[in-house]
């Protein structure tokens, strides 16, 4: 029995995307939470909590994009053609954030508000557009003769736009959990206050998307509710309800680490719902990962490089978080 190279690369890309959503999600969430905090020193603290790790988090986005280009060129071409505008906007948002990280600490106090706004706008744009991309992906792409046949603005429809709003809530909740874990005193208490409404909004968004998706996509409804699939997928909504309840309880009892971990679990469950909805298609609604894959020789050659680079990224990621572990306070500064 041979090695299923397309499946291995599908798993690598799914893993890279999940790592990006989890790890870059909370630092994008920091930017989304900036408007709720007016103190310049607290904003310094918020940015310093993610400054040592934010650029490493985006390594997973690069790995996922490069892997998609090499392993599934058809999917890369279709997705890039269909989502050229939102993906370009996402890159501009990430650029604004990256510049703001460095220039905010080097600017004079009277000009610092400019970089605060750049950080907020970049975070909002990048997050919202990522949600739009996810929604458009679930919605599917019309493809004929291995070519995208839709319009440049097919993504500009209610479902993808609502997914953009939903990801704003998800990343803000991740950022809130991160700040609860990394800070102390009044900033931490402020995040406890913000977390509660975000949890209810997050659960509401998950409920709406969970109803909207099968109602508007019969193929997904068939996949969800047919037996034995229903029995396999039933733990996902049950775990969402349990996670939401535990998250509210952890915020109420002022836990330090549990809110962030449970927020991560909620986001992971949402991501698993996406995987369940589209499997085994890499270009929904009809092109599977096998049909979109590159030749086996290319997949095998790339896999050798991936098996070398992925452990390096994992070790670097672990080490950076280990070195900068613990609480951040006003006396410490990354910059």
């Amino acid at each position: 029995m041979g090695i299923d190279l397309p499946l291995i690369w599908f798993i690598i890309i799914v893993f890279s995307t999940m790592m990006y959503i989890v790890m870059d999600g909370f630092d994008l969430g920091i930017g989304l939470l900036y408007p709720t905090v007016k103190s310049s020193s607290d904003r310094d603290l918020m940015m310093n909590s993610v400054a040592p790790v934010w650029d490493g988090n985006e390594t997973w986005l690069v790995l996922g994009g490069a892997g998609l280009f090499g392993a599934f060129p058809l999917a890369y071409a279709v997705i890039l053609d269909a989502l050229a505008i939102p993906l370009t906007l996402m890159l501009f948002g990430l650029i604004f954030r990256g510049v703001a990280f460095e220039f905010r600490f080097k600017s004079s106090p009277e000009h610092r508000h400019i970089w605060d706004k750049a950080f907020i706008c970049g975070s909002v744009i990048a997050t919202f557009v990522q949600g739009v991309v996810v929604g458009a992906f679930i919605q599917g792409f019309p493809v004929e003769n291995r070519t995208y046949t839709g319009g440049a603005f097919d993504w500009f429809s209610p479902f993808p736009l609502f997914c953009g709003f939903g990801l704003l809530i998800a990343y803000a909740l991740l950022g809130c959990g991160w700040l609860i874990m990394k800070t102390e005193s009044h900033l931490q208490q402020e995040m406890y206050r913000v977390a509660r409404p975000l949890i209810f909004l997050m659960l509401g968004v998950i409920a709406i998307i969970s109803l909207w998706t099968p109602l508007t996509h019969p193929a997904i409804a068939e996949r969800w509710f047919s037996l034995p699939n229903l029995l396999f997928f039933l733990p996902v909504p049950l775990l969402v309800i349990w996670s939401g309840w535990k998250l509210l309880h952890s915020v109420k009892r002022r836990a330090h680490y549990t809110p962030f971990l449970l927020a991560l679990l909620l986001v992971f469950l949402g991501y698993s719902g996406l995987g369940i909805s589209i499997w085994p298609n890499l270009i929904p609604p009809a092109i599977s990962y096998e049909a979109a894959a590159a030749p086996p020789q290319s997949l095998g050659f790339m896999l050798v490089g991936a098996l070398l680079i992925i452990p390096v990224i994992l070790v670097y990621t672990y080490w950076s978080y280990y070195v900068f572990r613990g609480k951040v306070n006003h006396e410490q500064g990354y910059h």
Side-chain angles (χ1 to χ4, degrees), residues 54-222:
W54 74 272
D55 48 353
N57 294 340
E58 294 180 356
T59 305
W60 296 105
L61 180 63
V62 176
L63 177 63
L68 187 67
F69 173 74
F72 303 100
L74 174 60
Y76 184 88
V78 169
I79 292 169
L80 207 64
D81 198 8
L83 303 174
I85 294 173
L87 289 174
T88 302
L89 290 173
M90 182 188 75
L91 291 176
F92 276 116
L94 293 175
I95 289 169
F96 268 95
R97 290 182 74 252
V99 172
F101 260 110
E102 301 302 327
F103 280 79
R104 184 181 183 276
F105 288 97
K106 294 176 173 62
S107 63
S108 59
E110 57 269 21
H111 293 118
R112 188 164 293 178
H113 70 95
I114 297 173
W115 301 110
D116 283 348
K117 291 180 176 65
F119 187 58
I120 294 167
C121 291
S123 300
V124 170
I125 292 169
T127 301
F128 180 76
V129 169
Q130 287 176 20
V132 168
V133 168
V134 170
F137 201 79
I138 296 173
Q139 193 167 261
F141 307 106
V143 178
E144 293 180 13
N145 299 320
R146 299 174 67 86
T147 304
Y148 175 67
T149 57
F153 289 93
D154 283 7
W155 54 271
F156 196 79
S157 58
F159 183 74
L161 294 176
F162 183 79
C163 288
F165 166 76
L167 200 63
L168 288 171
I169 301 300
Y171 281 5
L173 182 59
L174 283 176
C176 196
W178 173 262
L179 291 174
I180 287 172
M181 183 173 68
K182 295 291 289 185
T183 63
E184 300 174 299
S185 66
H186 64 280
L187 179 58
Q188 185 187 53
Q189 296 305 313
E190 178 66 15
M191 290 302 109
Y192 281 126
R193 185 187 65 80
V194 172
R196 187 175 175 83
L198 284 176
I199 295 168
F200 284 112
L201 282 171
M202 179 70 176
L203 293 174
V205 164
I206 292 174
I208 291 170
I209 291 177
S210 298
L211 291 172
W212 196 338
T213 301
L215 288 175
T216 55
H217 301 87
I220 293 177
E222 173 66 21

Side-chain angles (χ1 to χ4, degrees), residues 34 37 39-47 186-187 330:
Y34 246 46
V37 177
S39 166
S40 180
S41 61
D42 281 345
R43 288 185 169 188
D44 289 347
L45 193 63
M46 292 168 71
M47 191 172 278
H186 64 280
L187 179 58
H330 292 286

